[in-house]
Amino acid sequence: MAGEQLHVLNALDVAKTQWYHFTAIIIAGMGFFTDAYDLFCISLVTKLLGRIYYHVDGAEKPGTLPPNVSAAVNGVAFCGTLAGQLFFGWLGDKMGRKRVYGMTLMLMVICSVASGLSFGHTPKSVMATLCFFRFWLGFGIGGDYPLSATIMSEYANKKTRGAFIAAVFAMQGFGILAGGLFAIIVSASFKTRFDAPAYEVDPIGSTVPQADYVWRIILMVGALPAGLTYYWRMKMPETARYTALVAKNLKQAAADMSKVLQVEIDAEPQKAVQSSERPANSFGLFSKEFLHRHGLHLLGTTSTWFLLDIAFYSQNLFQKDIFSAIGWIPSAKTMNALEEVYKIARAQTLIALCSTVPGYWFTVAFIDKMGRFAIQLMGFFFMTVFMFALAIPYNHWTHKDNRIGFVLMYSLTFFFANFGPNATTFVVPAEIFPARLRSTCHGISAASGKLGAMVGAFGFLYLAQNKDKAKADAGYPAGIGVRNSLIVLGVVNFLGMVFTFLVPESKGKSLEEMSGENEDENGEVELEQPSGYNNRTVPV
């Protein structure tokens, strides 16, 4: 870039890493901790819901959720998340990041609690209540994606921006881990207090009445971490980039960042703002200019996130089915209801501990060294390799002696999803678009991902069914089997690798450099640095 940027933004870009950066990671990250807990804890209790509400007298297997109910329970939060990402992403650019940030959190707190409650006791009323509140829970979670990413990118310095945004996203790993651990504790406590025989011994007695509290407690606890961070979110000042570049108030931006960075920052003359209001840099989202400058970028961020989430959410939501298919979780009829929750939670926690969490933090450690592009390409490549390595010799992995090898390979696909595109697809859209459209474009990219998650959540449920209809779960048509489903996911990962080439590298560049906000129609810098700028006020 040929010149320099606004004084207050330059101060942010070159600032040393300070305590405030870490508090921002925790405040934004706790939202993601809650997001992951709320989205993934449902997979721990869906089999329990089937046993409680859809028991069939005389059936050989325990009750399971009918296909349409299971799809709704698993996928309705994604529908809400998609809507929330689009709505709150747009609102974050219109009203400001901070003003909208508290709304999303309160929605998450209220709906987490409400989803554990129900109107009536019939299966229909309980499932309808659960789906209604999980939709609005997803709506709040959706707003957290563009707002958290945008806030963190706009607070961070150039040198470690990728690590900071990735660290916010990495809190998802701890959320998944916490969900599994809490489900283990609750199910084990209830199992000790209310022991019951296996389903094959006593079908009705295997599900104790108190099991109905287990899934409610697991879902409702998601309100705690969100509620605890509400006060701190409300204390955060608006980001300087929004205040300076969108709200056009340089004086307020300088005052806010002086407190945050604990340095003296003088505001530019207001004429600097006026000079930035040129037509060349005021194009809208649906303009030809946006299409020319950022059209391919938006295609790259939306397509890669869409393809990633098909594979990622299929794996996460239905890992219990895959573990059952290879015999790592015993047959449902050999366990009572609480024991089944315990074993599913234990398997998910082990995967999170060994591969999901380390994968996220590997990205945090290396993203500003390797760059976004290299990590995303590498992640998609290894996800493709391991998915085919699982699928092609699938019969080999189903033999009892080889099951640990299967789980190890399956864990590696999780590791490279997180040390790869699951983190980078979140980071990049927060860096490459103009400030006035940044939250909106991140919301569109994230919503595209949730569309992929819905394809994964609904599609894999049917695809992975046994080819023999007699062996498929009750109410499901015959599918293509787990092996062929894994092949499909391998192809999806390969396409993700191809579309990664549309995404630009943003390592080490300022946000204004990536978005071209300092340049006019001739490529020349619009905002000159004031002559009174004192470099000594900025910690470098």
Side-chain angles (χ1 to χ4, degrees):
M1 199 160 59
E4 300 179 36
Q5 63 193 137
L6 285 167
H7 178 173
V8 64
L9 306 186
N10 186 62
L12 280 168
D13 276 341
V14 300
K16 284 180 180 174
T17 299
Q18 296 175 42
W19 178 244
Y20 194 83
H21 288 119
F22 294 106
T23 60
I25 288 170
I26 292 165
I27 293 165
M30 284 311 288
F32 268 88
F33 177 95
T34 309
D35 297 350
Y37 181 99
D38 288 333
L39 285 176
F40 293 114
C41 69
I42 195 69
S43 68
L44 300 168
V45 298
T46 46
K47 293 213 172 189
L48 178 62
L49 290 170
R51 282 187 185 242
I52 296 170
Y53 295 105
Y54 292 91
H55 171 75
V56 179
D57 287 332
E60 186 187 342
K61 296 178 182 177
T64 56
L65 297 178
N68 58 336
V69 176
S70 183
V73 167
N74 278 304
V76 72
F78 295 145
C79 300
T81 305
L82 188 153
Q85 285 162 336
L86 293 172
F87 176 72
F88 286 114
W90 168 79
L91 205 61
D93 283 333
K94 293 295 175 192
M95 292 177 59
R97 297 29 165 153
K98 182 199 167 177
R99 287 176 69 186
V100 182
Y101 213 22
M103 296 182 206
T104 63
L105 210 59
M106 282 315 297
L107 202 54
M108 286 156 63
V109 171
I110 293 165
C111 294
S112 285
V113 173
S115 62
L117 306 173
S118 58
F119 306 126
H121 299 287
T122 64
K124 193 172 182 179
S125 65
V126 173
M127 293 304 129
T129 307
L130 178 61
C131 288
F132 177 80
F133 285 115
R134 278 191 67 78
F135 174 85
W136 291 108
L137 173 65
F139 193 70
I141 288 170
D144 232 38
Y145 276 72
L147 293 169
S148 289
T150 301
I151 284 170
M152 202 64 241
S153 73
E154 293 182 345
Y155 269 128
N157 58 45
K158 273 196 298 191
K159 190 177 177 184
T160 56
R161 186 178 63 236
F164 286 162
I165 306 171
V168 168
F169 196 62
M171 295 297 281
Q172 266 201 343
F174 290 130
I176 295 169
L177 190 61
L181 287 171
F182 186 69
I184 287 171
I185 293 165
V186 173
S187 58
S189 303
F190 273 75
K191 190 158 68 83
T192 304
R193 179 71 178 81
F194 308 104
D195 199 15
Y199 181 86
E200 59 189 357
V201 176
D202 181 357
I204 294 175
S206 67
T207 306
V208 295
Q210 292 82 2
D212 195 47
Y213 294 116
V214 171
W215 70 268
R216 297 176 189 275
I217 291 168
I218 290 169
L219 295 187
M220 291 168 83
V221 162
L224 280 177
L228 291 171
T229 51
Y230 181 78
Y231 170 75
W232 298 106
R233 278 201 180 185
M234 292 299 91
K235 283 192 72 176
M236 290 177 85
E238 183 57 84
T239 72
R241 285 183 159 91
Y242 183 86
T243 307
L245 297 173
V246 184
K248 311 291 185 187
N249 189 340
L250 290 179
K251 188 175 180 182
Q252 186 62 49
D256 287 344
M257 289 308 104
S258 291
K259 289 177 191 171
V260 167
L261 299 175
Q262 298 177 326
V263 292
E264 190 67 33
I265 301 175
D266 300 321
E268 279 92 341
Q270 198 62 26
K271 67 181 181 181
V273 179
Q274 293 164 0
S275 71
S276 72
E277 294 173 344
R278 298 186 182 186
N281 260 344
S282 58
F283 53 85
L285 180 64
F286 301 107
S287 64
K288 285 183 180 177
E289 184 66 21
F290 178 86
L291 198 65
H292 171 69
R293 292 194 184 203
H294 299 292
L296 283 178
H297 296 164
L298 191 59
L299 176 62
T301 58
T302 52
S303 59
T304 51
W305 208 335
F306 173 77
L307 293 163
L308 163 80
D309 274 9
I310 291 176
F312 185 74
Y313 280 87
S314 297
Q315 287 170 251
N316 251 311
L317 282 169
F318 301 106
Q319 57 183 280
K320 63 185 184 301
D321 300 309
I322 288 173
F323 291 145
S324 297
I326 62 156
W328 210 48
I329 294 175
S331 171
K333 66 183 179 181
T334 65
M335 299 181 282
N336 63 43
L338 295 172
E339 192 179 358
E340 187 174 38
V341 175
Y342 177 84
K343 295 238 168 119
I344 291 167
R346 190 180 63 178
Q348 180 166 307
T349 304
L350 195 62
I351 290 291
L353 199 58
C354 297
S355 60
T356 308
V357 173
Y360 279 119
W361 291 98
F362 263 72
T363 301
V364 174
F366 291 105
I367 192 166
D368 288 310
K369 296 180 178 70
M370 292 173 62
R372 288 69 161 150
F373 178 81
I375 287 178
Q376 185 161 312
L377 198 68
M378 175 195 72
F380 270 128
F381 172 77
F382 281 112
M383 285 170 74
T384 307
V385 168
F386 287 120
M387 206 61 83
F388 283 129
L390 287 172
I392 294 166
Y394 180 72
N395 291 332
H396 165 80
W397 297 117
T398 56
H399 297 142
K400 195 168 185 179
D401 294 344
N402 303 324
R403 284 171 184 168
I404 297 300
F406 182 97
V407 173
L408 188 65
M409 297 277 276
Y410 190 66
S411 297
L412 283 168
T413 64
F414 270 108
F415 176 79
F416 282 106
N418 294 309
F419 182 31
N422 194 37
T424 54
T425 51
F426 177 79
V427 173
V428 174
E431 299 182 307
I432 62 176
F433 299 107
R436 67 187 177 282
L437 301 172
R438 185 170 292 134
S439 180
T440 303
C441 289
H442 195 285
I444 292 169
S445 303
S448 175
K450 277 300 164 285
L451 195 61
M454 287 156 66
V455 171
F458 294 122
F460 195 82
L461 197 62
Y462 288 88
L463 281 180
Q465 293 299 322
N466 200 295
K467 292 179 186 177
D468 181 355
K469 192 176 187 312
K471 294 181 181 177
D473 289 342
Y476 286 87
I480 61 172
V482 174
R483 178 181 182 269
N484 289 333
S485 298
L486 291 171
I487 291 174
V488 170
L489 294 182
V491 172
V492 166
N493 289 327
F494 176 77
L495 290 173
M497 192 164 62
V498 173
F499 278 98
T500 294
F501 286 93
L502 295 175
V503 181
E505 178 58 73
S506 49
K507 182 181 82 169
K509 297 176 181 176
S510 77
L511 297 181
E512 289 68 49
E513 189 177 352
M514 284 305 301
S515 63
E517 282 174 284
N518 283 1
E519 298 175 4
D520 63 15
E521 61 272 22
N522 299 314
E524 294 176 1
V525 176
E526 296 183 18
L527 300 169
E528 294 301 324
Q529 184 173 296
S531 57
Y533 175 47
N534 179 4
N535 280 298
R536 288 174 296 177
T537 62
V538 181
V540 181

